[in-house]
Amino acid sequence: MSVSSSALVEISKLNKYFGDNHVLRDIDFSVASGEVVCVIGPSGSGKSTLLRCVNLLERPQSGHVRVAGEDLTDLDCDIDAARRQIGMVFQQFNLFPHHSALDNCALALTTVLKHKRAEAEAIARANLERVGLADKLDAYPARLSGGQQQRVAIARALSMDPQLMLFDEPTSALDPELVGEVLSVMRRLADEGMTMIVVTHEIAFAREVADRVVFMDAGAIVEQGRPDQLLEAPREQRTRDFLERVLTPTGDA
């Protein structure tokens, strides 16, 4: 994919605490328009908190987060308007159980963006087709597999026409046989040039799709680089230890 040199996301000197726990430590990080960045690291390293700070689901104690030139950490920022440029897909699907797949995708278009119902449904239908669910428009979440529900969640985020997509461990709640269908959709989005930050434990996906891989530990970015460099020949011992652990078969049945 082509990656613009202009930064869509700029994070500087970002610090986040939960009580006495210093979860993010002076994070400096940027993402170019069209770039796919995968963030890896052990549990508790701050990966998900970093992602949630990008759209201010978590407000940092210090530092700045700019998306498309807008400083989301500025108290005068219209955060609701800024968030419309940022789609987010969570570990859990968070679909409305009493709404169909089509309604789940159309709801924000009518209530937030004030589209007419017919226009909202057309956009929702197009995005459900985009994730391979054109035949599930009228299905309710309880009638869908986990992989299908996550694809509806992706379609819902895409329906808002975001400039940036955030994925927080999007396959971690799925049975292994359903992981591939979600990763396939994400590969297509990457091929289309969508700017994406993906927190993931799927190292093979990061190797194949990412323009850059970021390794975090203890609230800090330890190192970052192209997938072939970071995953095959990391500079830092901490990164090497982590990759050796996650890439070495355990021998479990």
PDB file of all heavy atoms in Angstrom, residues 155-187:
ATOM      1  N   ALA A 155     -18.009  -3.401  10.298  1.00  0.00           N
ATOM      2  CA  ALA A 155     -18.867  -2.696   9.347  1.00  0.00           C
ATOM      3  C   ALA A 155     -19.505  -1.479  10.000  1.00  0.00           C
ATOM      4  O   ALA A 155     -19.647  -0.420   9.364  1.00  0.00           O
ATOM      5  CB  ALA A 155     -19.939  -3.638   8.805  1.00  0.00           C
ATOM      6  N   ARG A 156     -19.907  -1.621  11.249  1.00  0.00           N
ATOM      7  CA  ARG A 156     -20.502  -0.490  11.974  1.00  0.00           C
ATOM      8  C   ARG A 156     -19.508   0.666  12.074  1.00  0.00           C
ATOM      9  O   ARG A 156     -19.861   1.835  11.838  1.00  0.00           O
ATOM     10  CB  ARG A 156     -20.947  -0.935  13.361  1.00  0.00           C
ATOM     11  CG  ARG A 156     -21.534   0.175  14.209  1.00  0.00           C
ATOM     12  CD  ARG A 156     -22.018  -0.344  15.550  1.00  0.00           C
ATOM     13  NE  ARG A 156     -20.944  -0.975  16.316  1.00  0.00           N
ATOM     14  CZ  ARG A 156     -21.123  -1.577  17.489  1.00  0.00           C
ATOM     15  NH1 ARG A 156     -22.350  -1.653  18.007  1.00  0.00           N
ATOM     16  NH2 ARG A 156     -20.115  -2.111  18.132  1.00  0.00           N
ATOM     17  N   ALA A 157     -18.255   0.352  12.428  1.00  0.00           N
ATOM     18  CA  ALA A 157     -17.238   1.404  12.517  1.00  0.00           C
ATOM     19  C   ALA A 157     -16.972   2.029  11.148  1.00  0.00           C
ATOM     20  O   ALA A 157     -16.847   3.254  11.027  1.00  0.00           O
ATOM     21  CB  ALA A 157     -15.944   0.823  13.102  1.00  0.00           C
ATOM     22  N   LEU A 158     -16.919   1.211  10.110  1.00  0.00           N
ATOM     23  CA  LEU A 158     -16.660   1.721   8.761  1.00  0.00           C
ATOM     24  C   LEU A 158     -17.789   2.598   8.247  1.00  0.00           C
ATOM     25  O   LEU A 158     -17.564   3.499   7.430  1.00  0.00           O
ATOM     26  CB  LEU A 158     -16.438   0.556   7.796  1.00  0.00           C
ATOM     27  CG  LEU A 158     -15.169  -0.264   7.987  1.00  0.00           C
ATOM     28  CD1 LEU A 158     -15.188  -1.485   7.074  1.00  0.00           C
ATOM     29  CD2 LEU A 158     -13.922   0.574   7.728  1.00  0.00           C
ATOM     30  N   SER A 159     -18.999   2.361   8.722  1.00  0.00           N
ATOM     31  CA  SER A 159     -20.150   3.115   8.242  1.00  0.00           C
ATOM     32  C   SER A 159     -20.058   4.596   8.590  1.00  0.00           C
ATOM     33  O   SER A 159     -20.690   5.429   7.942  1.00  0.00           O
ATOM     34  CB  SER A 159     -21.446   2.518   8.800  1.00  0.00           C
ATOM     35  OG  SER A 159     -21.679   1.231   8.247  1.00  0.00           O
ATOM     36  N   MET A 160     -19.267   4.929   9.605  1.00  0.00           N
ATOM     37  CA  MET A 160     -19.072   6.334   9.973  1.00  0.00           C
ATOM     38  C   MET A 160     -18.006   7.004   9.109  1.00  0.00           C
ATOM     39  O   MET A 160     -17.699   8.178   9.306  1.00  0.00           O
ATOM     40  CB  MET A 160     -18.681   6.424  11.447  1.00  0.00           C
ATOM     41  CG  MET A 160     -19.729   5.870  12.403  1.00  0.00           C
ATOM     42  SD  MET A 160     -21.269   6.819  12.396  1.00  0.00           S
ATOM     43  CE  MET A 160     -20.755   8.266  13.349  1.00  0.00           C
ATOM     44  N   ASP A 161     -17.441   6.261   8.158  1.00  0.00           N
ATOM     45  CA  ASP A 161     -16.442   6.764   7.219  1.00  0.00           C
ATOM     46  C   ASP A 161     -15.246   7.392   7.943  1.00  0.00           C
ATOM     47  O   ASP A 161     -14.875   8.544   7.703  1.00  0.00           O
ATOM     48  CB  ASP A 161     -17.065   7.788   6.266  1.00  0.00           C
ATOM     49  CG  ASP A 161     -16.169   8.081   5.064  1.00  0.00           C
ATOM     50  OD1 ASP A 161     -15.334   7.217   4.715  1.00  0.00           O
ATOM     51  OD2 ASP A 161     -16.296   9.175   4.482  1.00  0.00           O
ATOM     52  N   PRO A 162     -14.592   6.622   8.834  1.00  0.00           N
ATOM     53  CA  PRO A 162     -13.490   7.176   9.623  1.00  0.00           C
ATOM     54  C   PRO A 162     -12.215   7.332   8.805  1.00  0.00           C
ATOM     55  O   PRO A 162     -11.999   6.643   7.807  1.00  0.00           O
ATOM     56  CB  PRO A 162     -13.297   6.121  10.715  1.00  0.00           C
ATOM     57  CG  PRO A 162     -13.690   4.839  10.044  1.00  0.00           C
ATOM     58  CD  PRO A 162     -14.835   5.200   9.138  1.00  0.00           C
ATOM     59  N   GLN A 163     -11.358   8.239   9.263  1.00  0.00           N
ATOM     60  CA  GLN A 163     -10.024   8.352   8.683  1.00  0.00           C
ATOM     61  C   GLN A 163      -9.066   7.343   9.291  1.00  0.00           C
ATOM     62  O   GLN A 163      -8.033   7.019   8.694  1.00  0.00           O
ATOM     63  CB  GLN A 163      -9.462   9.762   8.928  1.00  0.00           C
ATOM     64  CG  GLN A 163     -10.185  10.880   8.233  1.00  0.00           C
ATOM     65  CD  GLN A 163      -9.439  12.187   8.391  1.00  0.00           C
ATOM     66  OE1 GLN A 163      -8.273  12.319   8.012  1.00  0.00           O
ATOM     67  NE2 GLN A 163     -10.089  13.175   8.973  1.00  0.00           N
ATOM     68  N   LEU A 164      -9.391   6.879  10.503  1.00  0.00           N
ATOM     69  CA  LEU A 164      -8.497   6.018  11.276  1.00  0.00           C
ATOM     70  C   LEU A 164      -9.315   4.903  11.898  1.00  0.00           C
ATOM     71  O   LEU A 164     -10.409   5.136  12.419  1.00  0.00           O
ATOM     72  CB  LEU A 164      -7.823   6.842  12.382  1.00  0.00           C
ATOM     73  CG  LEU A 164      -7.040   6.103  13.466  1.00  0.00           C
ATOM     74  CD1 LEU A 164      -5.784   5.475  12.885  1.00  0.00           C
ATOM     75  CD2 LEU A 164      -6.685   7.065  14.607  1.00  0.00           C
ATOM     76  N   MET A 165      -8.774   3.673  11.844  1.00  0.00           N
ATOM     77  CA  MET A 165      -9.411   2.535  12.507  1.00  0.00           C
ATOM     78  C   MET A 165      -8.483   2.007  13.596  1.00  0.00           C
ATOM     79  O   MET A 165      -7.296   1.768  13.368  1.00  0.00           O
ATOM     80  CB  MET A 165      -9.715   1.424  11.508  1.00  0.00           C
ATOM     81  CG  MET A 165     -10.912   1.711  10.609  1.00  0.00           C
ATOM     82  SD  MET A 165     -12.515   1.567  11.453  1.00  0.00           S
ATOM     83  CE  MET A 165     -12.651  -0.219  11.631  1.00  0.00           C
ATOM     84  N   LEU A 166      -9.053   1.815  14.789  1.00  0.00           N
ATOM     85  CA  LEU A 166      -8.341   1.238  15.925  1.00  0.00           C
ATOM     86  C   LEU A 166      -8.908  -0.146  16.206  1.00  0.00           C
ATOM     87  O   LEU A 166     -10.128  -0.315  16.291  1.00  0.00           O
ATOM     88  CB  LEU A 166      -8.510   2.113  17.168  1.00  0.00           C
ATOM     89  CG  LEU A 166      -8.194   3.607  17.021  1.00  0.00           C
ATOM     90  CD1 LEU A 166      -8.493   4.337  18.325  1.00  0.00           C
ATOM     91  CD2 LEU A 166      -6.741   3.817  16.608  1.00  0.00           C
ATOM     92  N   PHE A 167      -8.039  -1.126  16.356  1.00  0.00           N
ATOM     93  CA  PHE A 167      -8.459  -2.498  16.655  1.00  0.00           C
ATOM     94  C   PHE A 167      -7.782  -2.939  17.943  1.00  0.00           C
ATOM     95  O   PHE A 167      -6.547  -2.996  18.019  1.00  0.00           O
ATOM     96  CB  PHE A 167      -8.058  -3.454  15.530  1.00  0.00           C
ATOM     97  CG  PHE A 167      -8.768  -3.215  14.231  1.00  0.00           C
ATOM     98  CD1 PHE A 167      -8.279  -2.315  13.302  1.00  0.00           C
ATOM     99  CD2 PHE A 167      -9.932  -3.923  13.923  1.00  0.00           C
ATOM    100  CE1 PHE A 167      -8.929  -2.106  12.088  1.00  0.00           C
ATOM    101  CE2 PHE A 167     -10.589  -3.724  12.716  1.00  0.00           C
ATOM    102  CZ  PHE A 167     -10.090  -2.814  11.804  1.00  0.00           C
ATOM    103  N   ASP A 168      -8.580  -3.250  18.965  1.00  0.00           N
ATOM    104  CA  ASP A 168      -8.040  -3.676  20.250  1.00  0.00           C
ATOM    105  C   ASP A 168      -8.238  -5.179  20.412  1.00  0.00           C
ATOM    106  O   ASP A 168      -9.307  -5.628  20.810  1.00  0.00           O
ATOM    107  CB  ASP A 168      -8.724  -2.922  21.396  1.00  0.00           C
ATOM    108  CG  ASP A 168      -8.095  -3.218  22.747  1.00  0.00           C
ATOM    109  OD1 ASP A 168      -7.031  -3.879  22.775  1.00  0.00           O
ATOM    110  OD2 ASP A 168      -8.653  -2.797  23.772  1.00  0.00           O
ATOM    111  N   GLU A 169      -7.203  -5.950  20.087  1.00  0.00           N
ATOM    112  CA  GLU A 169      -7.257  -7.416  20.174  1.00  0.00           C
ATOM    113  C   GLU A 169      -8.563  -7.952  19.558  1.00  0.00           C
ATOM    114  O   GLU A 169      -9.341  -8.641  20.228  1.00  0.00           O
ATOM    115  CB  GLU A 169      -7.142  -7.868  21.634  1.00  0.00           C
ATOM    116  CG  GLU A 169      -5.819  -7.534  22.292  1.00  0.00           C
ATOM    117  CD  GLU A 169      -4.723  -8.536  21.992  1.00  0.00           C
ATOM    118  OE1 GLU A 169      -4.879  -9.333  21.052  1.00  0.00           O
ATOM    119  OE2 GLU A 169      -3.703  -8.507  22.700  1.00  0.00           O
ATOM    120  N   PRO A 170      -8.821  -7.657  18.292  1.00  0.00           N
ATOM    121  CA  PRO A 170     -10.135  -7.960  17.708  1.00  0.00           C
ATOM    122  C   PRO A 170     -10.441  -9.442  17.564  1.00  0.00           C
ATOM    123  O   PRO A 170     -11.597  -9.805  17.338  1.00  0.00           O
ATOM    124  CB  PRO A 170     -10.072  -7.286  16.335  1.00  0.00           C
ATOM    125  CG  PRO A 170      -8.616  -7.264  16.004  1.00  0.00           C
ATOM    126  CD  PRO A 170      -7.925  -7.013  17.319  1.00  0.00           C
ATOM    127  N   THR A 171      -9.438 -10.309  17.708  1.00  0.00           N
ATOM    128  CA  THR A 171      -9.690 -11.746  17.551  1.00  0.00           C
ATOM    129  C   THR A 171      -9.571 -12.516  18.868  1.00  0.00           C
ATOM    130  O   THR A 171      -9.742 -13.731  18.887  1.00  0.00           O
ATOM    131  CB  THR A 171      -8.700 -12.366  16.540  1.00  0.00           C
ATOM    132  OG1 THR A 171      -7.362 -12.186  17.024  1.00  0.00           O
ATOM    133  CG2 THR A 171      -8.838 -11.715  15.179  1.00  0.00           C
ATOM    134  N   SER A 172      -9.288 -11.823  19.976  1.00  0.00           N
ATOM    135  CA  SER A 172      -8.972 -12.542  21.211  1.00  0.00           C
ATOM    136  C   SER A 172     -10.181 -13.246  21.813  1.00  0.00           C
ATOM    137  O   SER A 172     -10.022 -14.200  22.576  1.00  0.00           O
ATOM    138  CB  SER A 172      -8.361 -11.593  22.239  1.00  0.00           C
ATOM    139  OG  SER A 172      -9.304 -10.615  22.638  1.00  0.00           O
ATOM    140  N   ALA A 173     -11.396 -12.802  21.487  1.00  0.00           N
ATOM    141  CA  ALA A 173     -12.598 -13.436  22.041  1.00  0.00           C
ATOM    142  C   ALA A 173     -13.172 -14.514  21.123  1.00  0.00           C
ATOM    143  O   ALA A 173     -14.224 -15.079  21.416  1.00  0.00           O
ATOM    144  CB  ALA A 173     -13.662 -12.376  22.326  1.00  0.00           C
ATOM    145  N   LEU A 174     -12.471 -14.807  20.023  1.00  0.00           N
ATOM    146  CA  LEU A 174     -12.998 -15.728  19.017  1.00  0.00           C
ATOM    147  C   LEU A 174     -12.409 -17.122  19.165  1.00  0.00           C
ATOM    148  O   LEU A 174     -11.250 -17.286  19.553  1.00  0.00           O
ATOM    149  CB  LEU A 174     -12.678 -15.208  17.607  1.00  0.00           C
ATOM    150  CG  LEU A 174     -13.233 -13.835  17.240  1.00  0.00           C
ATOM    151  CD1 LEU A 174     -12.781 -13.460  15.830  1.00  0.00           C
ATOM    152  CD2 LEU A 174     -14.753 -13.807  17.341  1.00  0.00           C
ATOM    153  N   ASP A 175     -13.217 -18.118  18.814  1.00  0.00           N
ATOM    154  CA  ASP A 175     -12.685 -19.463  18.682  1.00  0.00           C
ATOM    155  C   ASP A 175     -11.644 -19.471  17.566  1.00  0.00           C
ATOM    156  O   ASP A 175     -11.770 -18.728  16.580  1.00  0.00           O
ATOM    157  CB  ASP A 175     -13.805 -20.446  18.347  1.00  0.00           C
ATOM    158  CG  ASP A 175     -14.772 -20.631  19.506  1.00  0.00           C
ATOM    159  OD1 ASP A 175     -14.352 -20.432  20.657  1.00  0.00           O
ATOM    160  OD2 ASP A 175     -15.945 -20.963  19.254  1.00  0.00           O
ATOM    161  N   PRO A 176     -10.610 -20.303  17.677  1.00  0.00           N
ATOM    162  CA  PRO A 176      -9.521 -20.282  16.696  1.00  0.00           C
ATOM    163  C   PRO A 176      -9.981 -20.393  15.240  1.00  0.00           C
ATOM    164  O   PRO A 176      -9.409 -19.740  14.363  1.00  0.00           O
ATOM    165  CB  PRO A 176      -8.660 -21.482  17.108  1.00  0.00           C
ATOM    166  CG  PRO A 176      -8.893 -21.616  18.575  1.00  0.00           C
ATOM    167  CD  PRO A 176     -10.342 -21.253  18.791  1.00  0.00           C
ATOM    168  N   GLU A 177     -11.017 -21.194  14.986  1.00  0.00           N
ATOM    169  CA  GLU A 177     -11.432 -21.379  13.595  1.00  0.00           C
ATOM    170  C   GLU A 177     -12.132 -20.155  13.016  1.00  0.00           C
ATOM    171  O   GLU A 177     -12.349 -20.074  11.803  1.00  0.00           O
ATOM    172  CB  GLU A 177     -12.340 -22.611  13.458  1.00  0.00           C
ATOM    173  CG  GLU A 177     -13.681 -22.512  14.165  1.00  0.00           C
ATOM    174  CD  GLU A 177     -13.634 -23.052  15.578  1.00  0.00           C
ATOM    175  OE1 GLU A 177     -12.532 -23.127  16.168  1.00  0.00           O
ATOM    176  OE2 GLU A 177     -14.707 -23.413  16.089  1.00  0.00           O
ATOM    177  N   LEU A 178     -12.478 -19.175  13.873  1.00  0.00           N
ATOM    178  CA  LEU A 178     -13.170 -17.976  13.401  1.00  0.00           C
ATOM    179  C   LEU A 178     -12.228 -16.784  13.244  1.00  0.00           C
ATOM    180  O   LEU A 178     -12.620 -15.756  12.707  1.00  0.00           O
ATOM    181  CB  LEU A 178     -14.304 -17.606  14.372  1.00  0.00           C
ATOM    182  CG  LEU A 178     -15.380 -18.672  14.589  1.00  0.00           C
ATOM    183  CD1 LEU A 178     -16.394 -18.190  15.616  1.00  0.00           C
ATOM    184  CD2 LEU A 178     -16.075 -19.012  13.278  1.00  0.00           C
ATOM    185  N   VAL A 179     -11.008 -16.932  13.710  1.00  0.00           N
ATOM    186  CA  VAL A 179     -10.064 -15.822  13.679  1.00  0.00           C
ATOM    187  C   VAL A 179      -9.776 -15.387  12.246  1.00  0.00           C
ATOM    188  O   VAL A 179      -9.725 -14.192  11.926  1.00  0.00           O
ATOM    189  CB  VAL A 179      -8.749 -16.210  14.400  1.00  0.00           C
ATOM    190  CG1 VAL A 179      -7.648 -15.197  14.129  1.00  0.00           C
ATOM    191  CG2 VAL A 179      -8.994 -16.346  15.894  1.00  0.00           C
ATOM    192  N   GLY A 180      -9.612 -16.344  11.349  1.00  0.00           N
ATOM    193  CA  GLY A 180      -9.199 -16.051   9.981  1.00  0.00           C
ATOM    194  C   GLY A 180     -10.141 -15.142   9.234  1.00  0.00           C
ATOM    195  O   GLY A 180      -9.702 -14.283   8.461  1.00  0.00           O
ATOM    196  N   GLU A 181     -11.452 -15.297   9.466  1.00  0.00           N
ATOM    197  CA  GLU A 181     -12.406 -14.492   8.705  1.00  0.00           C
ATOM    198  C   GLU A 181     -12.328 -13.016   9.109  1.00  0.00           C
ATOM    199  O   GLU A 181     -12.553 -12.132   8.276  1.00  0.00           O
ATOM    200  CB  GLU A 181     -13.831 -15.024   8.881  1.00  0.00           C
ATOM    201  CG  GLU A 181     -14.402 -14.961  10.274  1.00  0.00           C
ATOM    202  CD  GLU A 181     -15.724 -15.705  10.390  1.00  0.00           C
ATOM    203  OE1 GLU A 181     -15.749 -16.938  10.159  1.00  0.00           O
ATOM    204  OE2 GLU A 181     -16.721 -15.051  10.709  1.00  0.00           O
ATOM    205  N   VAL A 182     -12.011 -12.746  10.370  1.00  0.00           N
ATOM    206  CA  VAL A 182     -11.862 -11.358  10.803  1.00  0.00           C
ATOM    207  C   VAL A 182     -10.546 -10.783  10.280  1.00  0.00           C
ATOM    208  O   VAL A 182     -10.501  -9.656   9.769  1.00  0.00           O
ATOM    209  CB  VAL A 182     -11.937 -11.264  12.334  1.00  0.00           C
ATOM    210  CG1 VAL A 182     -11.602  -9.850  12.812  1.00  0.00           C
ATOM    211  CG2 VAL A 182     -13.331 -11.671  12.810  1.00  0.00           C
ATOM    212  N   LEU A 183      -9.455 -11.547  10.374  1.00  0.00           N
ATOM    213  CA  LEU A 183      -8.170 -11.070   9.871  1.00  0.00           C
ATOM    214  C   LEU A 183      -8.220 -10.830   8.368  1.00  0.00           C
ATOM    215  O   LEU A 183      -7.573  -9.909   7.856  1.00  0.00           O
ATOM    216  CB  LEU A 183      -7.068 -12.069  10.216  1.00  0.00           C
ATOM    217  CG  LEU A 183      -6.771 -12.253  11.712  1.00  0.00           C
ATOM    218  CD1 LEU A 183      -5.628 -13.238  11.893  1.00  0.00           C
ATOM    219  CD2 LEU A 183      -6.455 -10.938  12.394  1.00  0.00           C
ATOM    220  N   SER A 184      -9.001 -11.633   7.652  1.00  0.00           N
ATOM    221  CA  SER A 184      -9.136 -11.443   6.209  1.00  0.00           C
ATOM    222  C   SER A 184      -9.751 -10.091   5.880  1.00  0.00           C
ATOM    223  O   SER A 184      -9.315  -9.391   4.954  1.00  0.00           O
ATOM    224  CB  SER A 184      -9.983 -12.577   5.621  1.00  0.00           C
ATOM    225  OG  SER A 184     -10.179 -12.391   4.238  1.00  0.00           O
ATOM    226  N   VAL A 185     -10.776  -9.707   6.648  1.00  0.00           N
ATOM    227  CA  VAL A 185     -11.395  -8.387   6.453  1.00  0.00           C
ATOM    228  C   VAL A 185     -10.370  -7.288   6.731  1.00  0.00           C
ATOM    229  O   VAL A 185     -10.266  -6.309   5.991  1.00  0.00           O
ATOM    230  CB  VAL A 185     -12.622  -8.226   7.368  1.00  0.00           C
ATOM    231  CG1 VAL A 185     -13.100  -6.777   7.387  1.00  0.00           C
ATOM    232  CG2 VAL A 185     -13.747  -9.143   6.906  1.00  0.00           C
ATOM    233  N   MET A 186      -9.589  -7.456   7.794  1.00  0.00           N
ATOM    234  CA  MET A 186      -8.598  -6.441   8.136  1.00  0.00           C
ATOM    235  C   MET A 186      -7.505  -6.345   7.075  1.00  0.00           C
ATOM    236  O   MET A 186      -7.016  -5.252   6.780  1.00  0.00           O
ATOM    237  CB  MET A 186      -8.013  -6.749   9.504  1.00  0.00           C
ATOM    238  CG  MET A 186      -9.045  -6.623  10.638  1.00  0.00           C
ATOM    239  SD  MET A 186      -8.470  -7.278  12.217  1.00  0.00           S
ATOM    240  CE  MET A 186      -7.109  -6.166  12.578  1.00  0.00           C
ATOM    241  N   ARG A 187      -7.136  -7.469   6.480  1.00  0.00           N
ATOM    242  CA  ARG A 187      -6.165  -7.435   5.379  1.00  0.00           C
ATOM    243  C   ARG A 187      -6.704  -6.613   4.212  1.00  0.00           C
ATOM    244  O   ARG A 187      -5.973  -5.823   3.598  1.00  0.00           O
ATOM    245  CB  ARG A 187      -5.854  -8.856   4.892  1.00  0.00           C
ATOM    246  CG  ARG A 187      -4.950  -9.658   5.800  1.00  0.00           C
ATOM    247  CD  ARG A 187      -4.557 -10.975   5.154  1.00  0.00           C
ATOM    248  NE  ARG A 187      -3.895 -11.849   6.117  1.00  0.00           N
ATOM    249  CZ  ARG A 187      -4.524 -12.771   6.837  1.00  0.00           C
ATOM    250  NH1 ARG A 187      -5.819 -12.967   6.697  1.00  0.00           N
ATOM    251  NH2 ARG A 187      -3.840 -13.509   7.702  1.00  0.00           N
TER     252      ARG A 187
END
